[in-house]
């Protein structure tokens, strides 16, 4: 569920024309069930239906909807239910998902205690499960917190740590989210060329990517901070060079705002 593995059956377990009911104890991400379905279909058998004793997917979806609509209290309630159920059944992926969003909501509400509690547990579970996808979240948001207080060195250390996890997980959302704050951190530390390069790389990813979560707005914000800073400090020629990428970043921010009400206010400001 939080890694890569394989599912196998004997070659003669199913034959063309067999009718199969797929039963599993837990449906979370659908990875195992999807693999089983592929084996059934590849054998030429027909799937009649599927049944699951416990289904956690609806809690993922319900919480995501409330987060994207900025319904923080409803989202928190859904996430607490997800976290509790995941603990009961030992579903590490769903537990880390719940802890990640719980930490993000606490960050947005300024609830430092809940942010540290959820983020610390997430970091430890991600370490135990060797999940770089989830390991990036806590250092990233601690880095963003440092950025907002103007502590460039701390921000650079933390966003670099988050970027290291992204490189190992190779997930596209992580590159969109982490690239901007890392570029902004580099800029605050006086590393303008490195900051500009990272901003350009992140903007190129954003241009062709499909936005799947409002946290991508954090990545766009970092890119904008770099371009705005360089534009304000530049001469007329420099500003002409920066106009196109600056407007491209603003366009990405507007697209994020239209997709996710939770980020709309910040985006339009």
């Amino acid at each position: 569920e939080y890694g890569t593995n394989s599912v196998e059956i004997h070659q003669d377990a199913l034959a063309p024309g067999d009718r199969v009911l797929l039963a599993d104890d837990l449906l979370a991400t659908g990875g195992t069930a999807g693999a089983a379905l592929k084996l059934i279909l590849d054998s030429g058998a027909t799937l009649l239906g599927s049944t699951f004793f416990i289904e956690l997917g609806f809690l993922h979806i319900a919480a995501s909807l409330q987060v994207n609509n900025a319904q923080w209290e409803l989202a928190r309630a859904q996430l607490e239910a997800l976290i509790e159920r995941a603990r009961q059944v030992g579903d590490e992926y769903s537990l880390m998902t719940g802890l990640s969003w719980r930490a993000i909501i606490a960050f947005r509400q300024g609830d430092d205690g809940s942010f540290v509690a959820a983020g610390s547990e997430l970091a430890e579970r991600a370490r135990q499960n060797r999940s770089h996808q989830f390991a990036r979240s806590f250092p990233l948001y601690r880095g963003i917190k440092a950025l907002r207080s103007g502590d460039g060195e701390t921000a650079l250390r933390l966003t670099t740590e988050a970027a290291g996890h992204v490189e190992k997980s190779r997930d596209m959302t992580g590159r969109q989210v982490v690239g901007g704050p890392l570029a902004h951190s580099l800029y605050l530390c006086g590393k303008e060329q490195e900051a500009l390069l990272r901003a350009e790389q992140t903007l190129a990813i954003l241009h062709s990517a499909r936005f799947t979560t409002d946290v991508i707005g954090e990545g766009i914000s970092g890119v904008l901070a770099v371009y705005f800073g360089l534009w304000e400090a530049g001469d007329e020629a420099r500003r002409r060079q920066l106009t196109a990428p600056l407007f491209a970043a603003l366009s990405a921010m507007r697209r994020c705002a239209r997709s996710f009400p939770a980020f709309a206010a910040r985006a339009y400001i």
Side-chain angles (χ1 to χ4, degrees):
E1 291 171 342
Y2 49 89
T4 301
N5 215 320
S6 60
V7 179
E8 301 178 0
I9 60 173
H10 288 284
Q11 290 182 345
D12 59 356
L14 297 171
D18 284 352
R19 302 196 306 164
V20 181
L21 173 66
L22 174 62
D24 199 356
D25 60 344
L26 173 69
L27 176 65
T29 64
T32 306
L37 173 60
K38 187 175 189 304
L39 289 171
I40 293 169
L41 297 178
D42 286 351
S43 71
T46 300
L47 180 71
L48 293 182
S50 59
T51 182
F52 303 92
F53 179 64
I54 298 172
E55 184 176 349
L56 293 177
F58 76 95
L59 290 172
H60 288 259
I61 296 168
S64 295
L65 287 173
Q66 303 302 345
V67 168
N68 287 337
N69 287 312
Q71 300 293 327
W72 305 125
E73 295 306 316
L74 289 173
R76 185 162 62 179
Q78 295 285 359
L79 288 168
E80 295 294 352
L82 173 61
I83 290 168
E84 181 181 0
R85 184 68 62 84
R87 291 191 199 278
Q88 291 173 352
V89 300
D91 179 359
E92 287 290 317
Y93 181 91
S94 292
L95 179 54
M96 288 189 290
T97 298
L99 289 169
S100 177
W101 279 107
R102 183 69 187 87
I104 291 172
I105 288 176
F107 172 84
R108 293 179 178 177
Q109 291 184 309
D111 183 353
D112 288 342
S114 296
F115 171 66
V116 172
S120 298
E121 182 180 354
L122 172 65
E124 178 57 24
R125 289 187 178 276
R127 184 191 66 78
Q128 293 174 359
N129 291 299
R130 299 179 181 178
S131 173
H132 294 287
Q133 175 188 353
F134 288 104
R136 71 169 187 252
S137 184
F138 193 40
L140 170 63
Y141 277 89
R142 288 165 61 208
I144 294 172
K145 193 177 182 70
L147 278 173
R148 293 181 180 178
S149 67
D151 186 352
E153 291 186 4
T154 299
L156 181 57
R157 174 175 59 81
L158 291 167
T159 54
T160 299
E161 178 185 343
H165 290 299
V166 170
E167 287 305 310
K168 292 176 181 177
S169 66
R170 298 180 180 179
D171 67 293
M172 190 59 66
T173 298
R175 290 177 178 174
Q176 294 174 68
V177 176
V178 175
L182 177 55
H184 190 188
S185 301
L186 289 164
Y187 180 74
L188 285 185
C189 290
K191 302 181 179 183
E192 292 189 1
Q193 285 305 117
E194 293 179 58
L196 182 58
L197 177 60
R198 178 67 67 163
E200 289 172 346
Q201 292 170 343
T202 305
L203 186 59
I205 295 171
L206 290 166
H207 178 71
S208 59
R210 177 173 174 264
F211 293 176
T212 56
T213 169
D214 74 307
V215 298
I216 290 172
E218 301 290 358
I220 305 172
S221 294
V223 171
L224 276 170
V226 172
Y227 283 127
F228 270 129
L230 293 172
W231 190 87
E232 289 178 345
D235 57 20
E236 186 175 344
R238 180 63 162 161
R239 289 184 173 187
R240 281 198 298 269
Q241 293 175 342
L242 293 168
T243 297
L246 177 56
F247 272 86
L250 286 167
S251 177
M253 181 65 88
R254 183 170 59 180
R255 183 155 60 102
C256 186
R258 287 176 173 173
S259 301
F260 306 108
F263 210 77
R266 277 190 62 194
Y268 285 118
I269 289 171

